[in-house]
Amino acid sequence: MSTTTPFPQGFLWGGATAANQVEGAYGQGGKGLSVQDVMPRGIVGPRTAEPTADNLKLEAIDFYHRYAEDIALFAKMGFGVYRFSIAWSRIFPKGDEAEPNEEGLAFYDRVLDELEKHGIEPLVTISHYETPLHLAETYDGWTDRRLIGFYENYARTLFERYGSRVKYWLTFNEINSLLHAPFMSGGINTPKEQLSDAQLYQAMHHELVASARATRIAREVAPNAQIGCMVLSMPVYPLTPSPADALAVMDFDHSNLVYGDVHTRGAYPGYFLRTLREKGIELEITDQDREDLTNTVDFVSFSYYMSVAQTADPAKKVTGEGNIMGGVPNPTLEASEWGWQIDPVGLRLVLNQFWDRWQKPLFIVENGLGARDELVEVDGVPTVIDDYRIAYLNDHLVQVGEAITDGVNVLGYTSWGCIDIVSASTAQLSKRYGFIYVDRNDDGSGTLERFEKKSFGWYAEVIRTNGASLTR
């Protein structure tokens, strides 16, 4: 084990969750319905007309009532930062009201109180896959320009209430997932197969304008805050050395990078304008929109779970299981139980790519391994011997250190699902990511009791040594 570390002093170590995957408390505290309340199978299954008892997110892991216990466990690990999202429908139950729900605002006051008590920096996601259901059913979500104003009102409410307490903000979670998961990501009620490219790109534009407006509002209301965007990163390799495959890689990359380009450069890049021309799409973009987009972010945050390959050969285009962004499985890589290919070096590559391209500080706000864990007893204490998770995280964090040595400015790292949560993609609890085991099962049974896994102590040591304990 090395006694030196590439991680700078002040590097923010912590974990991340989303409100819809941890809070539960369905219908409590004045909360309205969100799109997640009618997605009992995540993105892999159909939505329902009403919330159903088999939707684990209705109770989730009951963070709403157990937040103090969970934050104390995060503090025990040594977290310097905790990324969480605010449920839009807790603050505006329908999403289009003029006045917020005070009971919802007060809940997040209490969460922030607890974080401050333990010296943990909050990193808040404003919209994380939980558009109020009313906005989906009444306006067809982000296809409607009026959602920009509703989101503005929501964001301003949060900045005015919490702006002096929260330094780091993210506008939308994985904003580039909108084209691939329109209901979950954009509250778009029209079935995906019925949506035109023009509708999806217009919804994308509305979200980008809303994000930029929120950035402007934050600078007015909370001038000491740092505003970031959040994208799903997915480095891509050519399946063969063929120039045609290299072009397929470029096209795939462009389809993801456009979101970060707009957030950091303040305008649509030429390659995207070409895409619109070739598809015959003319977006409704006002002069005010163009001015709004110039409000660029302070930093770029992203999730990283896997890489993919691309090819121009249609006969080889077999998509990887569980990957909403498409792509071709890489024959040189192993995959997780859910079909996500494991590629630690890809994290170093994407860190360098983003830094070289945007020259904005970077924040890794999601990374982790979903796996089936077995609760066992060691010296009479229930735990999980999750050496597979330790190996995964160790190897990825070593590559973060390599990227920092390369000269990349990395603000911090928040491991995804630092406590077991309900999966966004499959709505299962058996797909576990956490350092903390939650006794709840896919059938809804369990005590909700929390137990520290082996990785809990491992991550605590990584934080304590600022990465010097990692095995290289």
Side-chain angles (χ1 to χ4, degrees):
M1 184 183 75
S2 173
T3 57
T4 61
T5 175
F7 294 90
Q9 287 300 312
F11 186 86
L12 289 166
W13 296 96
T17 63
N20 69 85
Q21 293 169 265
V22 298
E23 282 182 7
Y26 159 75
Q28 297 182 37
K31 182 184 181 298
L33 297 179
S34 86
V35 293
Q36 292 289 348
D37 294 321
V38 293
M39 295 178 66
R41 296 294 174 267
I43 61 171
V44 300
R47 60 156 292 183
T48 54
E50 301 287 340
T52 52
D54 61 339
N55 187 341
L56 293 178
K57 286 167 282 193
L58 302 187
E59 185 181 14
I61 63 165
D62 198 29
F63 180 83
Y64 187 82
H65 297 107
R66 296 170 181 255
Y67 64 90
E69 172 190 353
D70 291 340
I71 290 170
L73 286 168
F74 301 159
K76 185 177 177 182
M77 267 187 285
F79 279 19
V81 62
Y82 171 50
R83 178 193 173 209
F84 65 98
S85 72
I86 290 177
W88 189 345
S89 59
R90 279 205 189 281
I91 310 305
F92 291 95
K94 289 186 172 181
D96 59 0
E97 300 95 335
E99 298 299 323
N101 168 37
E102 174 58 31
E103 202 170 347
L105 289 167
F107 167 67
Y108 294 106
D109 275 327
R110 295 193 295 273
V111 171
L112 290 172
D113 288 343
E114 208 64 29
L115 291 171
E116 287 171 11
K117 184 171 86 175
H118 292 285
I120 299 174
E121 191 86 57
L123 168 60
V124 173
T125 311
I126 296 172
S127 179
H128 192 135
Y129 290 167
E130 45 206 332
T131 307
L133 186 61
H134 173 76
L135 297 184
E137 296 182 336
T138 305
Y139 302 92
D140 208 14
W142 282 98
T143 62
D144 194 311
R145 177 172 283 273
R146 285 173 289 183
L147 259 73
I148 298 174
F150 300 146
Y151 180 88
E152 261 190 285
N153 186 38
Y154 168 50
R156 182 179 293 276
T157 299
L158 298 189
F159 295 142
E160 289 178 346
R161 180 73 167 229
Y162 311 121
S164 63
R165 309 181 71 183
V166 178
K167 180 179 179 181
Y168 298 102
W169 296 86
L170 308 179
T171 52
F172 288 92
N173 179 71
E174 294 183 335
I175 191 170
N176 51 329
S177 64
L178 175 73
L179 304 184
H180 308 275
F183 183 66
M184 181 175 75
S185 184
I188 299 174
N189 206 39
T190 300
K192 183 180 178 181
E193 61 273 12
Q194 297 175 24
L195 288 165
S196 67
D197 287 343
Q199 287 173 299
L200 285 170
Y201 282 124
Q202 190 67 51
M204 162 189 164
H205 174 70
H206 293 155
E207 281 200 349
L208 286 167
V209 170
S211 179
R213 287 195 189 176
T215 300
R216 187 196 68 226
I217 293 167
R219 298 216 169 100
E220 296 168 358
V221 176
N224 294 323
Q226 295 282 299
I227 312 301
C229 60
M230 197 288 203
V231 295
L232 190 163
S233 78
M234 193 167 293
V236 55
Y237 309 111
L239 192 62
T240 75
S242 159
D245 281 5
L247 280 175
V249 164
M250 183 184 76
D251 290 342
F252 181 86
D253 236 359
H254 279 167
S255 69
N256 282 323
L257 292 170
V258 58
Y259 298 83
D261 283 350
V262 174
H263 272 108
T264 59
R265 297 172 175 173
Y268 287 109
Y271 64 80
F272 179 71
L273 298 177
R274 175 180 179 169
T275 296
L276 295 180
R277 287 195 305 271
E278 293 182 349
K279 288 179 176 286
I281 295 171
E282 188 169 342
L283 293 182
E284 179 194 300
I285 304 177
T286 67
D287 289 341
Q288 183 62 55
D289 290 348
R290 292 186 178 90
E291 182 181 333
D292 287 333
L293 290 177
T294 63
N295 293 281
T296 54
V297 293
D298 299 306
F299 67 97
V300 175
S301 74
F302 64 93
S303 60
Y304 177 73
Y305 295 101
M306 73 189 97
S307 62
V308 293
Q310 276 290 352
T311 179
D313 184 349
K316 296 178 181 175
K317 287 190 174 181
V318 180
T319 58
E321 180 187 345
N323 169 15
I324 67 170
M325 302 294 282
V328 179
N330 186 329
T332 72
L333 296 174
E334 295 182 356
S336 76
E337 187 176 348
W338 276 269
W340 292 17
Q341 294 198 285
I342 298 171
D343 179 15
V345 172
L347 181 50
R348 179 183 179 185
L349 293 173
V350 84
L351 282 164
N352 274 274
Q353 179 191 32
F354 286 1
W355 174 247
D356 291 346
R357 189 178 187 91
W358 297 321
Q359 291 290 293
K360 297 278 188 180
L362 302 176
F363 210 133
I364 306 158
V365 295
E366 288 188 31
N367 173 240
L369 177 68
R372 295 185 190 274
D373 292 337
E374 181 184 357
L375 196 65
V376 297
E377 283 202 3
V378 176
D379 297 327
V381 178
T383 188
V384 174
I385 308 301
D386 55 342
D387 292 324
Y388 41 88
R389 181 169 294 111
I390 291 170
Y392 176 99
L393 293 171
N394 179 89
D395 293 350
H396 282 74
L397 286 169
V398 165
Q399 294 301 321
V400 176
E402 291 292 336
I404 292 170
T405 304
D406 292 334
V408 179
N409 183 354
V410 186
L411 295 173
Y413 173 91
T414 56
S415 174
W416 178 246
C418 48
I419 181 171
D420 288 347
I421 61 178
V422 181
S423 166
S425 57
T426 65
Q428 294 172 290
L429 255 158
S430 55
K431 186 182 182 184
R432 299 177 182 271
Y433 285 87
F435 303 113
I436 301 162
Y437 184 94
V438 178
D439 182 26
R440 194 173 188 219
N441 305 306
D442 286 349
D443 63 2
S445 63
T447 64
L448 291 172
E449 194 172 351
R450 275 66 164 150
F451 302 103
E452 298 173 16
K453 302 179 188 177
K454 182 178 179 180
S455 58
F456 183 104
W458 171 85
Y459 194 48
E461 183 64 9
V462 170
I463 295 172
R464 188 189 68 78
T465 64
N466 198 30
S469 63
L470 293 169
T471 303
R472 294 171 174 83

